[in-house]
Amino acid sequence: MSARIFQQPKSAMQSGKAKIDTWVLEFEQSEAHKPDPLMGWTGSGDTQAQVKLDFPTKDAAKAYAEKYGIAARVHETPAKTLKLQSYADNFR
């Protein structure tokens, strides 16, 4: 069983910073999706891929993974850089 730990990204419909400080442990898919012969919907028998666990800190997520023997990879959030410019810079 393997998983990945990442910080919850901001929604496209969200301008504020609410709920972006949570960390998520998400299990990776162990079985490929295959189409259902009757309806054509895709699915698999892997129920672990549906599980997402929220944690307040990265260390709490890592501790949970170590406690239950889950091989987890941590994906760090890249640092945000702001490009400050004034409106007058558009006409130079």
Side-chain angles (χ1 to χ4, degrees):
M1 226 175 7
S2 62
R4 65 185 190 119
I5 298 172
F6 60 96
Q7 196 168 15
Q8 184 71 35
K10 192 166 70 165
S11 167
M13 297 305 211
Q14 179 179 358
S15 63
K17 296 187 181 206
K19 298 184 181 178
I20 62 168
D21 56 346
T22 60
W23 287 81
V24 179
L25 184 137
E26 183 178 63
F27 290 97
E28 293 180 353
Q29 200 172 344
S30 64
E31 171 179 318
H33 285 264
K34 47 190 173 277
D36 182 51
L38 180 63
M39 297 297 289
W41 298 336
T42 60
S44 71
D46 182 23
T47 57
Q48 286 288 60
Q50 300 172 7
V51 177
K52 282 187 178 181
L53 301 173
D54 294 335
F55 294 94
T57 62
K58 175 177 61 170
D59 295 330
K62 285 169 55 176
Y64 179 87
E66 289 175 8
K67 179 180 178 182
Y68 290 102
I70 301 167
R73 293 176 299 151
V74 178
H75 295 276
E76 297 289 337
T77 306
K80 295 182 181 180
T81 58
L82 295 176
K83 181 182 175 188
L84 300 175
Q85 71 181 46
S86 67
Y87 180 70
D89 290 340
N90 293 332
F91 303 103
R92 291 185 185 165

